[in-house]
Amino acid sequence: MSVSIDITGLPRERVSVVPSPLAELGMALHALSAPGHHPGLQGWATAVSSRLDPCLADRLCEAEFLWQTTFSDVFAPFAGLPGGRELPGATLGEELDQLDKLTDEQFVSAALEFTCQLRYDVRTPSPLTDPELRRRSLELAAARGAVQERFTRRLLEDPPVVRAWFRQLMLDCDEAFFADTWARLQPQLAADARHKTELLRHKGLGEALASLSEAISLDEEAALITVDKLSVGRTATGDGGLVLVPTSLGRPHLLVLHRHGWQPSITYPASGTRPQAPSVEQLTRRMEALAHPVRMRLCRHLARAPHTTSELADAHGMSAPEISRHLAVLKKAGLITNCRRGRYVRHQLDLTAVARLGSDFIEGVLR
C-alpha cells in the first residue's frame, strides 16, 4: 500500500520546499487534541491547554474533527488555487487569505474530509449541488456525533459563514498561543527548507526526497514518487508543481496531499527528530515473524544469550533444519543478529529492534 505522485515532465524549479504557518497551526491543534500521537509534545500541550481561555477551548472542541482524526486540506489552501503552482504564504494571514480564494465547493469538500464520504483522488459531484451526496454527507456526519452533524449542516447551508468562523478561530489561536510557538519554530523550519533546497539543487530530487523520510522513494525512470503508507492513492503534478512542507510538530505523520484537482504536496517531519520507523512491509514482516509460537519460544532463549542452531535444536526437541528455517524468518525480519566464533555461528535477539516494535507500529499506522 502506498500513495504515488506522477511527476512526468516536472522540472526541478517547480519543486519547492516551503514552511507553512497554517499547516503548522493545524499540526499544533492536532497535538493538543491527540497528545498520545506526540508523546514528545505532551509538556508543550499541557502548558498550552492549561492557559487556553475556556471560550476558545469550547470553540476548538466544536471543530476538532478537522484536525484530530484526519488532517483537513483546509490547512493547505495554496494547493487548491488555480494553476497548481502557488506556495504557502509567509504569514498566517497570507495563508488565510489564500483560504478565502477557494471556491465554496473546494472549501466544503476539504472540510468534509472527516466524514470519509468523498472519493479523495477522483472528481466527484459537490454536496452543495447534489441532493443525494448532501444526504449522504449528513448521514455520515451524524454517525460521527451530534457536533459533527451540526457543523456539516451549517457548512452545507452557508459555506461563507463557516469559512469566516474558521478564519477567526485560527486568528484567535494565533493570538492565544501559536504566535509564540511559530516564532520559536520558524527559524528551524526555514533552515530545514534551505538545506533541502540545497540538496535538491546540487544532488537532485531523489537525494532530496530520501532526506525527508525513508518512506519516500523516487523511481526516476518511471517519474514516480512513492510514499510508503497504510493507504492507497495516486495523483500527478501535471503542469503544476510539487511542494514539500517541513513540520516540527507533526512527527510521526507523513502527509501526502493528493486531492483531485489540487497541487500535490508532502508534509514531512523536519530534521533533528528520531530515526525513521521501518517500512510498512518490514513492520508487517516483523509482526508475522513473532506470531508463530515456535519463534516466540526461540526469542525467549535468544533474548538471554547467543545460541547456535544446534543448541536451539536440542533445547526445543527439533531438527537443526527446522530451527534454521525459523531463524531465517527472524533474520529476514531484522529481529536477530549473528556473530561467528570459530566454526560456530551464534544467534541473538536484537533487543533494540524488538523494544521499538510498539512505537514502530504506532508510527506506521499514523504515518
Side-chain angles (χ1 to χ4, degrees), residues 32-331:
L32 289 173
S33 63
H37 292 187
H38 307 273
L41 297 176
Q42 287 187 352
W44 171 85
T46 299
V48 170
S49 298
S50 66
R51 297 196 307 266
L52 276 184
D53 176 79
C55 180
L56 177 58
D58 288 343
R59 290 161 62 205
L60 289 175
C61 288
E62 188 175 350
E64 69 178 3
F65 43 84
L66 293 177
W67 52 77
Q68 184 181 57
T69 58
T70 187
F71 191 75
S72 171
D73 290 339
V74 298
F75 291 101
F78 70 90
L81 297 179
R85 299 190 187 181
E86 295 293 328
L87 299 178
T91 67
L92 181 64
E94 289 180 15
E95 292 202 273
L96 291 174
D97 289 343
Q98 291 177 328
L99 183 68
D100 289 341
K101 294 177 182 178
L102 297 181
T103 65
D104 285 347
E105 288 77 11
Q106 286 178 305
F107 179 75
V108 168
S109 177
L112 282 179
E113 189 178 325
F114 76 93
T115 66
C116 303
Q117 52 83 34
L118 295 175
R119 287 292 305 279
Y120 185 79
D121 51 4
V122 298
R123 183 183 297 277
T124 59
S126 169
L128 293 176
T129 56
D130 187 303
E132 177 57 27
L133 194 54
R134 178 188 181 93
R135 182 198 65 77
R136 181 62 175 158
S137 299
L138 289 169
E139 181 181 278
L140 290 169
R144 299 295 182 98
V147 173
Q148 290 91 328
E149 182 184 17
R150 287 197 298 271
F151 177 88
T152 302
R153 195 172 296 279
R154 289 169 52 207
L155 180 67
L156 294 173
E157 290 174 353
D158 201 338
V161 168
V162 175
R163 195 191 311 223
W165 176 86
F166 178 80
R167 178 189 178 107
Q168 188 59 54
L169 179 62
M170 296 301 100
L171 291 173
D172 290 346
C173 288
D174 188 49
E175 182 179 356
F177 67 89
F178 184 68
D180 292 339
T181 300
W182 181 248
R184 175 172 56 85
L185 298 179
Q186 192 276 336
Q188 172 194 347
L189 296 177
D192 187 87
R194 286 194 299 270
H195 173 64
K196 300 299 192 295
T197 301
E198 287 300 304
L199 277 178
L200 177 66
R201 181 178 298 124
H202 297 295
K203 297 190 175 182
L205 180 58
E207 192 81 16
L209 291 173
S211 72
L212 305 186
S213 169
E214 293 176 0
I216 305 176
S217 61
L218 171 65
D219 183 336
E220 295 193 30
E221 185 175 345
L224 195 69
I225 297 171
T226 301
V227 184
D228 184 50
K229 291 175 67 71
L230 279 170
S231 57
V232 177
R234 186 177 179 89
T235 187
T237 53
D239 294 329
L242 172 67
V243 181
L244 311 175
V245 181
T247 171
S248 287
L249 302 177
R251 184 175 173 84
H253 307 300
L254 180 64
L255 307 177
V256 185
L257 194 163
H258 56 286
R259 179 180 294 279
H260 179 80
W262 289 44
Q263 179 181 192
S265 74
I266 300 174
T267 301
Y268 66 93
S271 301
T273 56
R274 292 164 45 206
Q276 295 290 335
S279 68
V280 171
E281 181 183 359
Q282 178 77 337
L283 179 61
T284 302
R285 189 181 297 127
R286 289 182 175 182
M287 300 185 76
E288 288 176 346
L290 293 175
H292 196 287
V294 171
R295 292 194 282 272
M296 284 286 288
R297 292 197 297 271
L298 288 176
C299 286
R300 175 180 171 84
H301 275 80
L302 298 175
R304 295 176 174 182
H307 288 79
T308 66
T309 301
S310 296
E311 289 172 333
L312 293 169
D314 290 341
H316 292 271
M318 300 172 65
S319 69
E322 287 177 306
I323 293 294
S324 293
R325 284 193 291 272
H326 286 297
L327 291 176
V329 173
L330 293 170
K331 177 71 174 177

